[in-house]
């Protein structure tokens, strides 16, 4: 990720100014979805979606994605051989489903195409646009790992519960190193415990919800966040 940041620095810094999303997050998504573009899937998307549409477990969802894929093929004159992806129909560097492509794919280099399969400029721009459109704020980070007291009530965890830093501090929550939380009450943040009450705890901000909108999983959002920090801050272990 660090090596690829240097390779794509000019473009990534440009996108950071345009969309407000720091480069390390774009690289982290790219790394998790396709191992930095090394594996994007080779299955015909139309075939995959047609097959899954016949599975009664999620027939309605995949039927809708199939219809959207056919519309994209007609609109952009995609060759079937170019529309390849995962077994579930996720496409290109970004692993966008057809509906996500329709909403968020961006022509990042101005060549008149939105090529998320072979054009990293378009892929990075599409990820940045997705996050921007799903609530990313350049004035915040994603969150922080914290410590809680032994008697902490686990019912306070969950994205539906929001408190100020002062309120969390009053419940005994501290930074991971034991120091006090930021002294600001202009943000309402939530706590997540992906491993349960005996595992890691995080206070997460609005940008965490933006990351989580990509995939409905705390593990995914935390992994993106952690990888992004490893890319930006080599000393983190």
């Amino acid at each position: 990720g660090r090596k690829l940041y240097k390779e794509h620095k000019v473009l990534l810094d440009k996108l950071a100014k345009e969309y407000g999303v720091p480069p390390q997050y774009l690289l982290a998504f790219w790394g998790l979805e396709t191992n930095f573009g090394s594996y994007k899937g080779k299955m015909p998307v139309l075939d995959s979606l047609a097959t899954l549409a016949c599975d009664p477990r999620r027939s309605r969802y995949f039927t809708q994605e199939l219809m959207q894929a056919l519309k994209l093929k007609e609109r952009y004159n995609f060759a079937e051989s170019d529309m390849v992806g995962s077994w579930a129909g996720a496409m290109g560097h970004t692993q966008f489903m057809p509906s996500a492509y329709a909403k968020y794919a961006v022509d990042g280099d101005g060549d008149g195409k939105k090529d998320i399969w072979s054009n990293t400029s378009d892929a990075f721009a599409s990820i940045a646009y997705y996050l921007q459109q799903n609530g990313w704020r350049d004035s915040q980070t994603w969150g922080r790992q914290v410590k809680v007291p032994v008697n902490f009530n686990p019912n306070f965890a969950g994205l539906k519960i929001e408190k100020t830093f002062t309120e969390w501090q009053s419940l005994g929550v501290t930074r991971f190193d034991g120091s006090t939380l930021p002294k600001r009450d202009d943000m309402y943040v939530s706590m997540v415990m992906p491993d349960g009450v005996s595992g890691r705890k995080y206070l997460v901000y609005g940008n965490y919800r933006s990351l989580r909108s990509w995939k409905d999983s705390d593990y995914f959002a935390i992994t993106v966040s952690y990888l992004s920090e490893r890319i930006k801050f080599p000393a983190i272990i």
Side-chain angles (χ1 to χ4, degrees):
R2 296 171 197 148
K3 177 182 178 181
L4 289 167
Y5 172 62
K6 294 178 181 179
E7 182 179 332
H8 298 282
K9 186 177 187 305
V10 173
L11 171 63
L12 292 167
D13 290 348
K14 173 179 175 293
L15 293 174
K17 291 181 180 178
E18 183 174 354
Y19 295 101
V21 182
Q24 64 267 25
Y25 292 97
L26 306 183
L27 289 164
F29 271 104
W30 189 34
L32 286 176
E33 288 292 354
T34 61
N35 195 24
F36 300 105
S38 66
Y39 186 75
K40 295 171 284 186
K42 300 179 181 180
M43 300 185 70
V45 166
L46 295 178
D47 290 358
S48 296
L49 293 173
T51 300
L52 290 166
C54 295
D55 185 335
R57 290 173 295 180
R58 299 185 70 190
S59 177
R60 182 177 181 181
Y61 170 74
F62 285 110
T63 297
Q64 291 173 340
E65 292 294 339
L66 174 61
M67 294 301 103
Q68 185 63 69
L70 290 169
K71 291 177 182 178
L72 294 176
K73 182 179 185 301
E74 180 180 33
R75 179 177 180 181
Y76 296 109
N77 197 29
F78 288 143
E80 287 189 37
S81 59
D82 293 332
M83 293 183 71
V84 295
S86 74
W87 64 271
M91 306 182 298
H93 286 283
T94 59
Q95 291 293 280
F96 276 172
M97 295 298 288
S99 58
Y101 181 99
K103 288 183 180 180
Y104 303 114
V106 171
D107 175 9
D109 58 4
D111 66 354
K113 301 177 182 179
K114 300 176 182 180
D115 180 7
I116 62 171
W117 289 272
S118 58
N119 189 317
T120 52
S121 296
D122 292 358
F124 289 146
S126 297
I127 297 171
Y129 181 66
Y130 175 96
L131 292 173
Q132 181 199 62
Q133 293 300 300
N134 282 275
W136 187 272
R137 297 175 60 183
D138 59 2
S139 61
Q140 299 179 6
T141 182
W142 66 273
R144 66 176 70 240
Q145 189 172 2
V146 294
K147 285 185 176 180
V148 303
V150 175
N151 62 346
F152 184 78
N153 186 349
N155 291 327
F156 287 130
L159 294 178
K160 292 183 179 180
I161 298 175
E162 295 181 303
K163 298 179 182 295
T164 65
F165 285 113
T166 299
E167 289 173 326
W168 286 116
Q169 187 79 44
S170 70
L171 293 172
V173 181
T174 67
R175 297 177 193 249
F176 192 65
D177 63 4
S179 60
T180 59
L181 296 172
K183 297 183 181 300
R184 53 183 298 183
D185 288 331
D186 59 336
M187 288 174 59
Y188 283 85
V189 300
S190 301
M191 179 174 291
V192 296
M193 300 180 183
D195 310 311
V197 68
S198 62
R200 300 164 295 164
K201 289 89 175 174
Y202 301 89
L203 286 183
V204 295
Y205 313 156
N207 284 346
Y208 181 84
R209 288 175 167 79
S210 180
L211 298 176
R212 206 175 185 279
S213 71
W214 185 283
K215 190 171 294 184
D216 189 19
S217 165
D218 283 320
Y219 285 115
F220 180 82
I222 292 292
T223 303
V224 169
S225 304
Y226 182 66
L227 179 56
S228 71
E229 292 186 348
R230 289 297 306 273
I231 291 171
K232 182 179 181 181
F233 305 110
I236 292 179
I237 58 174

